[in-house]
Amino acid sequence: MMRIGIDLGGTTVKAALCREDGTLLHKMNAPTRLGDADGLRADMKALALALCEKEAITPEQVQSIGIGVPGSFDKETCTLRFGTNLDMSDVCFAQAFEPEFQCAVQLDNDANCAALGEAIAGAAKDTRNMLMITLGTGVGGGIVVDGKLYTGCNGIAGELGHIVIRQGGESCNCGRKGCLEAYTSASAFVRFAERALEAGRKSVLEENRGALNAKMICDAVDAGDTLARELFEEYCVNLSCGLANLVNIFQPECIVIGGGLAGYGEKLIEPLRRLTEAETFQGASCNARIIAAALGNDAGLIGAAML
Amino acid sequence: MMRIGIDLGGTTVKAALCREDGTLLHKMNAPTRLGDADGLRADMKALALALCEKEAITPEQVQSIGIGVPGSFDKETCTLRFGTNLDMSDVCFAQAFEPEFQCAVQLDNDANCAALGEAIAGAAKDTRNMLMITLGTGVGGGIVVDGKLYTGCNGIAGELGHIVIRQGGESCNCGRKGCLEAYTSASAFVRFAERALEAGRKSVLEENRGALNAKMICDAVDAGDTLARELFEEYCVNLSCGLANLVNIFQPECIVIGGGLAGYGEKLIEPLRRLTEAETFQGASCNARIIAAALGNDAGLIGAAML
């Protein structure tokens, strides 16, 4: 039997056909029709059918379809309540693949899907208890306990970016002050850089002032820029504060770091590992490993397939 | 079949005989023989035998014995590695109840046992996913996921008091700065009061300066003392910051508040509930309830029996 995973983004709808063990066989995508729920559902079904054709299987051989969505949703009714950057709300996907596909359709948020993907087929393969932190525009999180996604009593657990590490600190989009996200999202990293430039700090970053991104700051660190190095060190201290909190709570087998900033690789992971270890309770046997994500953008697709 | 739970404290060893559903039938205790491992083991067995006699059952009718311990331990070998306030280390309990009792002996930390007790037979009865926070000399924590204690990859998960809420803040016993424990243990509550008095603040608390406890501060709040009220409000803000972090991570069915300070009842719980709700993501269906512990000191005993 096969599984189909769909990653619904604000720009692209991606779909993948996977084996039961999470192996990705084929993937395809289509531009997201913003604000057009019927069009979106039709595109999703077309992608699913095209994947079956590609692998020469029938829709009956697909045992489940999972969709990773951005925004709020209701699992019971398989409905997207409010889609961030999708210009649509209250879109039900339960019957979207009928009559060709008769299998169950599952929904979960994109960060949870990424965590499940990494747990089953990625960096955290063969672990039972893991966390994933996704460093992007925001800071997403996913929790896997005993091999299954943990989503709490109302389906929205795992907001690992919204734990306050500095009470009364930076304003966060969630309304709180001092959240991990407000210090460690890629946007926060850029905001601190722009703020330092505004305060008159000299740096090679000045040439891109007003249009900085996280990659540029990492490149400036590599080029030996003093300001960029300071910002990066502060970033690592803040992120490891959050990671240490999570280790003291969960003592997971590993924490997988994903999202754009994870592309900085061991140069990011090594200091995080060192700083986090210094601030956590250590067990006699195993301790949480901090590792970079392995599946990149495919994690969400594979995780959706495995919902 | 019956279960026996033992709560090993620095002053008293308590033991209880429980039914399989967590109902406590009898309890007994003995003073803790500090620094005397053989004596401690003998006392524990004597308590277990006395409980059986009291209920007129044979040791064969006891299906498990669980011990809640303070300090670090190794579950695999049923050994207390380092006992806080017990003056002993590396004490193995695996054979402590033989030959009379042939059942398995389990070990876990006291905060975890209290959480399990409240989950099975206390304030959180009939919930599958809950957290417990114990406000005492320190801040203890326990996590129950899907009806079972969650203890992570190395048995020491659930250190809910050791999440930093104010980076670089108050020094914590664990070595970090700004932990929830450093702001919300009973000791921290007292420390802030003593500090305010030292700074010259006027208060009814002055008469007990140097010998304050949390109960006295709560009494002063009730008596309308301005300083005590300020300290209490600040305490609630700090604790609800930690609770909100935990809700955003876990979205548990409930968080049970235990320990000495929980004795302040709804006067503590109501503001915590209000402040926490304002800082958390709310689900469409259920949301975490914040409630006071129901079993008092019996929680640890019952939880140990249910390990």
Side-chain angles (χ1 to χ4, degrees), chain A residues 143 150 152-154 157-159 162-167 176 238 241 244-245 248-251 279 286-287, chain B residues 143 150 152-154 157-159 162-167 176 238 241 244-245 248-251 279 281 286-287:
Chain A
I143 301 170
Y150 172 86
C153 73
N154 50 16
E159 288 290 354
H162 298 287
I163 56 175
V164 163
I165 58 165
R166 220 182 276 184
Q167 223 183 358
R176 300 183 82 186
N238 289 330
C241 178
N245 285 355
N248 282 346
I249 294 171
F250 285 99
Q251 296 286 349
E279 298 225 7
C286 67
N287 286 293
Chain B
I143 302 170
Y150 172 86
C153 74
N154 51 16
E159 288 291 353
H162 299 287
I163 57 175
V164 163
I165 58 165
R166 219 182 278 184
Q167 224 183 357
R176 301 183 81 185
N238 289 329
C241 177
N245 286 354
N248 282 345
I249 293 171
F250 284 99
Q251 296 286 349
E279 298 226 7
F281 288 89
C286 67
N287 285 293

Side-chain angles (χ1 to χ4, degrees), chain A residues 106-174:
Chain A
Q106 311 283 343
L107 218 64
D108 215 316
N109 88 41
D110 40 16
N112 280 348
C113 291
L116 189 60
E118 291 288 347
I120 291 177
K125 203 176 163 176
D126 300 323
T127 64
R128 302 292 297 167
N129 300 300
M130 60 81 80
L131 306 177
M132 180 165 177
I133 290 259
T134 310
L135 308 166
T137 312
V139 172
I143 301 170
V144 173
V145 171
D146 206 16
K148 295 190 296 281
L149 267 180
Y150 172 86
T151 59
C153 73
N154 50 16
I156 60 170
E159 288 290 354
L160 306 183
H162 298 287
I163 56 175
V164 163
I165 58 165
R166 220 182 276 184
Q167 223 183 358
E170 295 278 316
S171 291
C172 183
N173 288 331
C174 76

Side-chain angles (χ1 to χ4, degrees), chain A residues 1-5 16-26 55 63-64 120-121 302 305-306:
Chain A
M1 296 295 275
M2 299 286 184
R3 290 163 174 269
I4 285 176
L17 189 72
C18 297
R19 287 214 190 92
E20 278 186 85
D21 65 357
T23 309
L24 194 156
L25 297 171
H26 290 295
E55 188 67 11
Q63 69 174 112
S64 71
I120 291 177
I302 295 172
M306 306 307 285

Side-chain angles (χ1 to χ4, degrees), chain B residues 10 65 70 92 115 158 162 164 171 198 216 228 270 281 291:
Chain B
I65 298 175
C92 178
H162 299 287
V164 163
S171 290
E198 205 167 314
M216 291 172 189
E270 189 282 321
F281 288 89
I291 51 181

